[in-house]
């Protein structure tokens, strides 16, 4: 088996998937290393993209690149934000 990476323009993806469907017995189509048809992708086609973004956010918080607010800090900042909106 060989692996090939292909980038497809968004507006051609539907047509491209139809082409691949004709060869489904001879190829395995994966997105981010996960075979299409995987339950998470069926429920949410952007699941793995969001998962990567969330992992980066968590890594940034752990490394100190990003600050996570306490609930009290968040509440205070949101109150101030809404007060500014009302003005």
């Amino acid at each position: 088996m060989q692996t090939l990476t292909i980038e497809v323009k968004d507006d051609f993806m539907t047509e491209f998937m139809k082409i691949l469907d004709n060869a489904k017995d001879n190829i395995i189509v994966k997105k981010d290393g996960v075979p299409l048809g995987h339950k998470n992708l069926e429920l949410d086609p952007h699941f793995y993209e969001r998962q990567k973004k969330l992992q980066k956010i968590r890594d940034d918080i752990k490394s100190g690149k990003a600050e996570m607010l306490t609930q009290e800090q968040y509440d205070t900042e949101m109150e101030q934000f809404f007060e500014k909106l009302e003005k």
Side-chain angles (χ1 to χ4, degrees):
M1 181 156 307
Q2 296 182 25
T3 300
L4 174 67
T5 301
I6 300 172
E7 291 184 18
V8 180
K9 291 182 179 180
D10 290 338
D11 60 346
F12 183 67
M13 183 56 84
T14 302
E15 186 65 29
F16 183 70
M17 292 306 291
K18 287 178 188 175
I19 294 167
L20 292 180
D21 193 48
N22 293 330
K24 64 183 171 194
D25 294 335
N26 296 309
I27 60 173
I28 299 171
V29 179
K30 296 181 179 183
K31 181 175 182 176
D32 297 327
V34 179
L36 290 183
H38 190 272
K39 185 175 181 177
N40 288 336
L41 288 176
E42 289 175 14
L43 297 173
D44 179 1
H46 303 288
F47 174 85
Y48 293 101
E49 293 161 18
R50 267 198 295 285
Q51 184 182 46
K52 284 181 184 178
K53 288 179 185 176
L54 288 172
Q55 186 61 50
K56 183 178 179 341
I57 291 169
R58 289 184 70 213
D59 292 344
D60 287 349
I61 291 169
K62 287 180 182 179
S63 71
K65 288 182 184 178
E67 179 185 355
M68 185 154 175
L69 300 176
T70 65
Q71 186 65 47
E72 184 178 316
Q73 290 170 317
Y74 170 81
D75 291 341
T76 301
E77 290 195 20
M78 289 306 293
E79 283 178 31
Q80 292 170 353
F81 173 73
F82 286 120
E83 286 173 8
K84 287 180 183 177
L85 282 178
E86 289 176 359
K87 290 180 182 178

